Amino acid sequence: MNILILGNASDAHASHLYSALSQAGVTVAYLDTRLFPTQIQLSWDPGSQSGWVVLPGAKTLRLQDIHSVFWRSFSGVRIPKLEDPYQEQVAFNDAISALRSLMQFSAIHWVNSWQAYQLHKEKPLQLSRVKQLGVRIPATLITNHPEPILEFVKSYPSAIFKPVYGGAHTQRITPEHLEPERLSLALNIAPITVQEYIPGTNIRSYVIADSIYSAEIRSHAIDFREDVAAQLLPVELPERVQQQCLAIAREFALEWTAIDWRLNPGGEYVFLEANPSPMFLHFEHQTGFPITARLIQLLQS
């Protein structure tokens, strides 16, 4: 059985899973897309859906012989620098199109899929679809216009802001953020996501196929990812919330995900985000949940 890991050995999670798969007797290799097309070769016949990929070290795999790919990180492609910028853009488009076609090849089991990855990048759409499932989400505004932000902030005891796409931590909105010149300057650069602040406790639920592992994250930080001292305490979700976890995973075509919740003082679970390629090593180490073992089972299924 051939399994690929989308990523490279410099990533601790990719390296960990590589070692675990190897110890399980699986033939595993990295698919580092930064090496395409300079060090990785790809051939594909759309008619017969046959083809092969040649990895660094001349390891050749028929596409039909690749059982599954674990999506850890996608770094795009790296085109050699060309003197003509137009030709360089054409080369980039050709390379990324060929790679995207491989990443949507139906005979390969992707964990997770290209479609799931794309939806994760559109977080406002993700929130909308979760709301349609009947799951509570925070009051949210995406905008680059100052006046709606000022009105929004007046409507709630406290509010936070974060990037629309991701890549930076959540912050609580302060009067300094709302100073007209500072706010206008920031919004002329990019829109932001503004949300009501939900008091309560952070809960993270890992969903792997039909298994759910959850823990309370005790932290005083607005964004617990900033808190290296955060405590992880295993919890059992109510049956209704477990069903919501599974429904969210199905809605986003996620075979494996981490769902972040906020449990408010009234006992209500509020959805924040579902990540298609979450970090898990620290969580697994602190809780003892068999995340690695379940991922290996999923990739072999």
Side-chain angles (χ1 to χ4, degrees):
M1 180 180 294
N2 293 295
I3 293 178
L4 299 182
I5 296 175
L6 188 66
N8 58 72
S10 66
D11 179 279
H13 288 73
S15 177
H16 168 79
L17 199 56
Y18 183 103
S19 297
L21 285 164
S22 298
Q23 291 171 12
V26 175
T27 301
V28 59
Y30 292 110
L31 177 61
D32 185 353
T33 62
R34 300 173 304 172
L35 306 180
F36 182 72
T38 56
Q39 299 179 55
I40 293 176
Q41 288 78 49
L42 169 64
S43 301
W44 187 43
D45 177 351
S48 65
Q49 296 202 19
S50 63
W52 60 91
V53 59
V54 183
L55 300 174
K59 180 179 178 61
T60 302
L61 292 173
R62 295 192 310 162
L63 297 185
Q64 296 90 329
D65 294 335
I66 300 173
H67 181 74
S68 60
V69 182
F70 180 78
W71 188 303
R72 176 53 202 154
S73 61
F74 176 50
S75 303
V77 298
R78 300 287 174 88
I79 302 299
K81 188 69 177 176
L82 303 178
E83 292 185 4
D84 185 338
Y86 174 75
Q87 291 298 325
E88 186 173 327
Q89 186 61 50
V90 169
F92 174 84
N93 290 339
D94 286 343
I96 199 70
S97 178
L99 190 59
R100 284 201 304 258
S101 296
L102 170 64
M103 298 171 86
Q104 297 176 75
F105 183 45
S106 60
I108 298 176
H109 179 202
W110 286 81
V111 180
N112 283 296
S113 69
W114 172 264
Q115 289 76 13
Y117 170 72
Q118 291 299 313
L119 183 58
H120 174 66
K121 295 195 298 183
E122 318 303 344
K123 293 186 179 180
L125 178 60
Q126 187 184 84
L127 285 170
S128 176
R129 289 175 64 168
V130 167
K131 176 69 173 178
Q132 292 172 26
L133 293 173
V135 179
R136 165 82 189 276
I137 65 171
T140 303
L141 174 69
I142 290 92
T143 185
N144 68 329
H145 191 251
E147 290 182 13
I149 293 178
L150 297 175
E151 290 300 316
F152 185 96
V153 170
K154 291 178 184 177
S155 302
Y156 300 96
S158 184
I160 57 93
F161 73 95
K162 57 187 178 182
V164 178
Y165 180 86
H169 291 161
T170 300
Q171 298 183 53
R172 196 186 296 264
I173 295 177
T174 66
E176 289 75 19
H177 290 123
L178 301 177
E179 292 176 356
E181 184 175 349
R182 178 176 179 178
L183 185 60
S184 178
L185 178 62
L187 296 178
N188 284 336
I189 296 173
I192 63 171
T193 297
V194 183
Q195 290 183 324
E196 63 170 319
Y197 172 71
I198 307 292
T201 303
N202 294 305
I203 303 289
R204 169 162 282 198
S205 300
Y206 284 88
V207 183
I208 310 170
D210 57 356
S211 299
I212 302 171
Y213 305 102
S214 299
E216 174 186 336
I217 304 172
R218 291 190 177 176
S219 171
H220 296 294
I222 294 296
D223 191 321
F224 65 80
R225 294 172 298 178
E226 297 180 309
D227 185 2
V228 295
Q231 292 181 287
L232 302 176
L233 304 175
V235 297
E236 184 76 17
L237 296 183
E239 177 63 26
R240 178 182 58 82
V241 181
Q242 291 190 45
Q243 292 304 314
Q244 289 179 341
C245 285
L246 297 175
I248 290 167
R250 286 193 300 268
E251 179 70 17
F252 298 152
L254 292 166
E255 297 189 54
W256 123 266
T257 183
I259 300 174
D260 289 327
W261 305 90
R262 192 77 168 162
L263 177 59
N264 69 22
E268 186 176 24
Y269 285 76
V270 183
F271 172 88
L272 301 180
E273 181 183 1
N275 191 327
S277 182
M279 296 183 179
F280 63 91
L281 291 179
H282 179 68
F283 186 96
E284 182 175 51
H285 178 72
Q286 292 294 319
T287 63
F289 289 143
I291 294 176
T292 298
R294 288 292 288 117
L295 285 174
I296 291 175
Q297 291 175 3
L298 178 60
L299 290 166
Q300 292 179 304
S301 64

